[in-house]
Amino acid sequence: MRRRSAGPVDAARPGGRTDTDDGPTASGAAHGTWLTLGKDGRLTLYAPVDGGLLRWTETAAGGPRWSGPHVVPVPGLTHLTVVQGADTYVHFLGRRERTGADGTPAADVVHAIQYQTGLAVTDWRSLGNPDRGPERAARLAPPVGAVAADGTVHVFVRAAGGNLMLRREAPNGKWRAWEDLGGAGIDALPAPLALAGGRIEVCAAAETGVMIWRQTAPGGDFAGPRGFSLRPAPGTVAALETAPERATFFWTDADSGAAAAWRAGGWPVPLGGSPAGRPYAVLRTPLDGYDYVVLAYRDQDGTATLGVGGAEDEAAGFWWYGLAEPCQGTPALARDGHGRVVMALIDPGGRPRVARQEDGPGLALTRWQHL
């Protein structure tokens, strides 16, 4: 792992205590933005649990106290993705498995919303399955999503044929039918991104390289896929708007095993670091008056790693810090109600841990708080 001895970031300091409290524990980490900031300045953390999801909520903006876990039942949930829109509404997308009256297993995509911090989640609504026939339908991949600037929810799923399917809301609030966006041999976790100008872009690793879909205009059709002969490791792609209407995609390079950043029209920029097997958590934030990107991921040894570098200035170098904190899945990054960077992870026992940016220059994290 490449490390820098100087720069805008100070090494994060691990620590914590053993948590012996009783109560439900998470079965892993959710996909997407599972640490969210509400309109009232409070953070909420979500995690899957057998038969539903768990929710922890700050009792005041900026913490440090949290309430929870609160259990939201979702029978049959096998995968949870969390997506937040500019309106701060939190959308839950799930893959659900059920057994029909005839004993045949079935899978579908479900959706629910939390409109305000700490309040109830709406009823879960089925969005169906883009594939027909029991065998193909059972191969339903996990849903991922993005919420456009106008609040329109877009749900993307890799179909059984390896192509990308889309289901999205119509202007009247109803759901349109599934749309086939094409492609072949794509990864199970494409990376959609809602740009501030209203368009959606999607990047997916594929057997042939990388595929990109771009919405032609806010609310419009999707052009693509456009293919690029690049080598991201499957399951590692993440997306972030790093300048107005410009997306940067981050992934683990399949050949070098290091992180890379890429924007269409250029070549991937190597960032160093060690291999990540899952998508990166991504966050854009000011540090010491400059525009920075923060990345976090689970290392191959099962511990969390944090990286920081200039937004769209990746060639100047990334600073990587192994945090010595074991975790499940991808960590989460957010800014709290006071603008401080917060990192969350799910430990091997299914308990969330949270570290917050300390006052002062750079990015030093507090000791880990066990929720």
Side-chain angles (χ1 to χ4, degrees):
M1 178 183 297
R2 181 176 64 174
R3 298 178 182 270
R4 298 291 186 99
S5 58
V9 181
D10 299 322
R13 298 193 289 274
R17 60 177 178 81
T18 301
D19 192 338
T20 59
D21 293 340
D22 294 330
T25 57
S27 57
H31 182 70
T33 54
W34 53 269
L35 181 66
T36 65
L37 179 65
K39 191 171 293 184
D40 63 356
R42 289 189 293 159
L43 291 171
T44 304
L45 185 154
Y46 307 93
V49 67
D50 292 341
L53 67 90
L54 300 176
R55 181 181 74 187
W56 289 260
T57 305
E58 283 185 322
T59 58
R65 298 186 64 85
W66 296 71
S67 65
H70 173 73
V71 180
V72 180
V74 195
L77 189 71
T78 65
H79 181 93
L80 175 67
T81 294
V82 184
V83 184
Q84 187 175 30
D87 54 11
T88 73
Y89 297 169
V90 180
H91 297 263
F92 306 99
L93 303 173
R95 182 187 183 278
R96 180 177 62 180
E97 291 184 351
R98 294 181 294 179
T99 302
D102 60 354
T104 303
D108 64 346
V109 175
V110 290
H111 170 250
I113 309 171
Q114 179 181 290
Y115 289 106
Q116 293 185 44
T117 304
L119 295 189
V121 174
T122 65
D123 291 338
W124 291 77
R125 176 176 180 177
S126 176
L127 301 183
N129 188 320
D131 285 307
R132 297 183 178 181
E135 182 179 348
R136 290 178 62 87
R139 291 156 58 188
L140 177 70
V144 297
V147 183
D150 66 356
T152 303
V153 182
H154 294 66
V155 180
F156 300 91
V157 175
R158 184 195 66 183
N163 51 308
L164 184 66
M165 300 294 295
L166 163 67
R167 192 162 190 198
R168 52 178 160 168
E169 290 180 304
N172 62 4
K174 295 183 179 181
W175 287 86
R176 301 183 183 182
W178 287 100
E179 305 171 50
D180 188 351
L181 300 186
I186 69 169
D187 182 58
L189 291 174
L193 175 65
L195 298 168
R199 295 187 306 105
I200 304 289
E201 294 192 8
V202 187
C203 177
E207 296 172 356
T208 56
V210 168
M211 292 185 179
I212 297 288
W213 291 260
R214 290 192 174 93
Q215 205 170 24
T216 54
D221 295 330
F222 281 79
R226 182 181 178 190
F228 298 86
S229 297
L230 304 173
R231 291 269 294 159
T236 66
V237 180
L240 181 67
E241 185 172 11
T242 51
E245 291 297 293
R246 188 158 59 233
T248 299
F249 301 101
F250 299 91
W251 59 61
T252 297
D253 181 80
D255 296 321
S256 69
W262 176 73
R263 285 177 291 280
W267 291 99
V269 179
L271 306 181
S274 54
R278 295 175 179 269
Y280 292 80
V282 293
L283 179 69
R284 186 178 171 191
T285 188
L287 290 173
D288 302 332
Y290 295 94
D291 190 8
Y292 276 86
V293 169
V294 184
L295 303 179
Y297 66 93
R298 182 181 185 270
D299 207 336
Q300 284 189 322
D301 65 1
T303 60
T305 296
L306 184 72
V308 180
E312 300 201 351
D313 191 24
E314 299 90 359
F318 251 69
W319 289 262
W320 295 102
Y321 303 96
L323 304 183
E325 285 290 330
C327 63
Q328 300 186 56
T330 301
L333 294 167
R335 295 176 66 193
D336 70 9
H338 299 316
R340 297 172 297 188
V341 175
V342 179
M343 181 175 175
L345 55 83
I346 306 297
D347 72 18
R351 298 284 186 181
R353 302 186 187 189
V354 175
R356 206 175 299 255
Q357 181 181 0
E358 291 186 335
D359 294 334
L363 179 58
L365 297 181
T366 62
R367 292 184 177 275
W368 292 92
Q369 177 187 5
H370 296 218
L371 304 191

